[in-house]
Amino acid sequence: QVQLVESGGGSVPAGGSLRLSCAASGVAASNYRMAWFRQAPGKEREGVAAINSVRSTDYKDSVQGRFTISRDSSKNTLYLQMNSLKPEDTAMYYCAAGEWPGGWPSLTPNVYRFWGQGTQVTVSS
């Protein structure tokens, strides 16, 4: 059974940093494309960063240069390092994994089968 469990969220001042983790079981982070999404109140869920089996990556334009997605295959864990956080980054952040091995590092939510429960990130002004 596939499970994705996020951690590392919290409340920080603008300009601060957080590192989110997604521990995966039942799916190999090294073989499947994975991604981070976020959803703020009243807004659609949006792709933040994605990584595939050969470590190709893609980022939402507004986080480019501030966020870095990575994985540790030995721990089967996905990470999102977030620096220079802004109030508009405030959202629930979700980890996602694809349904089959391989694939492009897509920021489109409907290509992902498995989702975590989310971890809240709040950035104060």
Side-chain angles (χ1 to χ4, degrees):
Q1 183 177 348
V2 174
Q3 291 188 67
L4 303 175
V5 181
E6 302 98 331
S7 62
S11 182
V12 296
S17 297
L18 285 172
R19 182 178 175 86
L20 306 184
S21 298
C22 172
S25 61
V27 58
S30 61
N31 294 336
Y32 290 74
R33 58 185 168 186
M34 299 187 72
W36 289 97
F37 290 79
R38 67 187 183 189
Q39 188 167 23
K43 298 186 67 177
E44 290 286 301
R45 185 169 297 188
E46 61 183 8
V48 176
I51 188 168
N52 74 355
S53 60
V54 295
R55 288 191 168 87
S56 294
T57 59
D58 195 17
Y59 294 91
K60 179 178 175 63
D61 288 346
S62 63
V63 310
Q64 183 74 50
R66 299 189 296 122
F67 292 9
T68 302
I69 188 170
S70 63
R71 69 169 188 262
D72 184 334
S73 297
S74 67
K75 298 180 180 179
N76 207 31
T77 299
L78 182 75
Y79 301 98
L80 184 67
Q81 178 66 48
M82 305 186 294
N83 298 324
S84 302
L85 284 162
K86 304 174 180 180
E88 51 263 45
D89 295 318
T90 295
M92 185 72 75
Y93 283 71
Y94 298 91
C95 173
E99 187 172 10
W100 59 87
W104 267 220
S106 177
L107 296 177
T108 303
N110 61 5
V111 309
Y112 295 94
R113 169 73 184 277
F114 307 105
W115 296 82
Q117 82 291 342
T119 185
Q120 179 67 40
V121 172
T122 302
V123 185
S124 60
S125 60

